Amino acid sequence: MTEHRDSVDIAIIGAGPVGMALALALAGGPHRLRLIDARRRGAWRSDPRALALAHGTRQVLEGLQAWNLTAATAISSIHVSQHAGFGRTLIDCSDYGLPALGYVMRYRELAAALDARLEDSVLLDNCTVLGVDSDGNSAELILARPDESWRIKARLVVHAEGTPSHDGAVRVCDYRQHAVVAEVKPTAAHDHRAWERFTGDGPIALLPLGTDYSLVFTVPQAKVGELLELDEDAFLSALRIPFARRLDFIACSPRASFPLALRMRRQLTLGRQVWIGNAAQTLHPVSGQGFNLGLRDAWELADTLRGCTGGDAGDAAGLAAYGRRRWLDRNGSAAFTDGIVRTFSNDVAPLRHARGLGLLALELLPPLRHFVARRMIWGARAWP
């Protein structure tokens, strides 16, 4: 087996959209980069997932010259309501002078736009990371590829490889819910309106994607098997019930599901390592905040590294400053989504009435509604 050695300033583990965005944000700067991924380049081409992108995320991607407008479906308005209860609010992009509140794009289209901007020499794909050893001066990555191995010394290792592991470094809150995802075809045009419908079992989101909707149907884990086993007609009938005939559907793609939990890494930095995106935190999909938060991690880290003094990307003071800068956005987003799930995922009458009053207040008090909307669009950058 051939062994290679390399030395770089920054090694980024994980060439998903967050890792690629960080590499692009740092490209052309003073740091030597290496982007490392377990998958072969282009593995994302078969990924069917859809992502909800806030307008603030569009602005970041435009700054990276990686925004693909033709692949995005705009969200002009969001209708928020609850099943079997009063109260609703409507958030519209015209209130903020924006072309859209956000967008829905397939994962593969976003990855393709970022990958097209990536220099081939930066990426080391099809790698298994065997270990990361860190001391006061550098970190060393040990990698395995077919018929070869690598030892890479880096001043800083960035973890962007995905969901954090279940260990003592990660705080986990299991919601005991699953998200059933699919694409459904409505009987009438969606007119670029998204729907967030709260039920006693959990939230249901319908996001415009092309001429269809991308569906996230949250149910308790005890019910997910039953929902997946329904035939297409029976599943669409089950979907119509919580919308109380407001919407109707005529077709559905194959369904998949995944468990839902809040996972928060206790420390964003450790020695010469830093965690961003889903490696730092995974949120409940309600309100579609997860990927947008991760991309802001990458943008903020790039800004911090570009301004580091002395050229040491792993400087402890710089990493500590990054952790402080991310505290409000990260914890605020987690508290926002967690609070929604806990408040709305039940069918207790007093809470149902309180939810109705809250939705009514959002509708009748524009400053309150704008407060919520702006933080969904821009995250902590919108906080006074």
Side-chain angles (χ1 to χ4, degrees):
M1 177 179 286
T2 305
E3 182 177 273
H4 303 275
R5 293 180 179 271
D6 196 5
S7 178
V8 297
D9 294 306
I10 302 170
I12 305 167
I13 304 175
V18 169
M20 285 193 285
L22 176 61
L24 291 176
L26 292 169
H31 300 107
R32 293 165 297 156
L33 305 174
R34 179 67 82 171
L35 181 60
I36 300 159
D37 199 62
R39 302 167 301 171
R40 288 188 179 276
R41 187 172 190 174
W44 36 259
R45 290 191 180 96
S46 59
D47 196 311
R49 288 177 291 170
L51 293 173
L53 310 178
H55 180 74
T57 291
R58 171 182 174 165
Q59 293 173 317
V60 171
L61 293 171
E62 285 178 330
L64 298 174
Q65 300 180 45
W67 175 246
N68 184 354
L69 181 61
T70 61
T73 303
I75 299 174
S76 298
S77 62
I78 304 174
H79 188 285
V80 187
S81 60
Q82 64 172 333
H83 175 58
F86 71 95
R88 66 93 172 159
T89 191
L90 187 66
I91 303 173
D92 195 281
C93 65
S94 62
D95 291 335
Y96 310 98
L98 298 175
L101 294 168
Y103 303 83
V104 185
M105 185 184 294
R106 296 190 190 280
Y107 182 99
R108 59 177 177 259
E109 300 288 357
L110 175 59
L114 290 161
D115 182 83
R117 297 275 301 136
L118 201 63
E119 291 186 13
D120 294 347
S121 60
V122 170
L123 181 63
L124 191 62
D125 67 345
N126 199 25
C127 286
T128 300
V129 179
L130 300 179
V132 181
D133 295 319
S134 178
D135 59 30
N137 297 313
S138 66
E140 184 177 59
L141 289 87
I142 303 171
L143 313 174
R145 299 177 85 188
D147 301 322
E148 62 180 359
S149 64
W150 286 74
R151 288 181 177 270
I152 299 177
K153 278 191 174 290
R155 305 293 280 178
L156 175 66
V157 174
V158 181
H159 293 271
E161 61 265 65
T163 302
S165 58
H166 288 270
D167 58 34
V170 179
R171 176 171 59 87
V172 180
C173 172
D174 186 353
Y175 290 119
R176 302 187 183 280
Q177 294 177 330
H178 277 64
V180 175
V181 295
E183 292 177 21
V184 295
K185 184 175 291 297
T187 55
H190 54 58
D191 198 28
H192 296 280
R193 173 170 291 180
W195 296 76
E196 191 88 53
R197 184 78 161 163
F198 294 101
T199 77
D201 284 341
I204 302 175
L206 287 169
L207 307 175
L209 179 61
T211 58
D212 296 337
Y213 282 115
S214 174
L215 168 69
V216 182
F217 195 153
T218 305
V219 293
Q221 59 187 19
K223 295 184 179 180
V224 65
E226 176 185 345
L227 201 59
L228 291 173
E229 291 170 3
L230 295 175
D231 63 28
E232 183 179 9
D233 288 341
F235 178 77
L236 293 177
S237 295
L239 181 58
R240 292 183 187 108
I241 293 171
F243 283 95
R245 299 184 180 180
R246 290 170 180 257
L247 297 171
D248 198 5
F249 315 96
I250 56 175
C252 175
S253 72
R255 285 152 271 157
S257 71
F258 55 91
L260 300 177
L262 171 66
R263 300 179 180 88
M264 298 286 288
R265 188 168 185 86
R266 299 179 190 277
Q267 291 181 273
L268 287 183
T269 65
L270 181 64
R272 289 183 171 270
Q273 301 179 74
V274 60
W275 284 260
I276 65 172
N278 278 351
Q281 67 274 317
T282 58
L283 310 184
H284 194 286
V286 65
S287 78
Q289 294 298 295
F291 173 73
N292 300 287
L293 177 63
L295 191 65
R296 294 196 296 271
D297 287 346
W299 187 257
E300 197 86 37
L301 180 59
D303 186 62
T304 301
L305 293 173
R306 286 192 296 264
C308 69
T309 58
D312 184 358
D315 174 66
L319 294 180
Y322 167 76
R324 290 192 299 269
R325 292 173 69 177
R326 293 305 299 147
W327 189 92
L328 178 61
D329 193 13
R330 182 172 183 256
N331 287 280
S333 297
F336 177 70
T337 56
D338 185 64
I340 291 176
V341 173
R342 294 182 183 281
T343 303
F344 283 85
S345 294
N346 59 72
D347 205 25
V348 180
L351 278 178
R352 189 166 63 246
H353 296 319
R355 291 194 300 260
L357 290 173
L359 291 170
L360 187 61
L362 285 175
E363 181 65 18
L364 297 178
L365 300 173
L368 180 60
R369 185 170 69 253
H370 298 340
F371 179 89
V372 172
R374 289 181 181 279
R375 280 131 195 87
M376 291 174 62
I377 296 169
W378 289 292
R381 286 187 293 164
W383 284 77

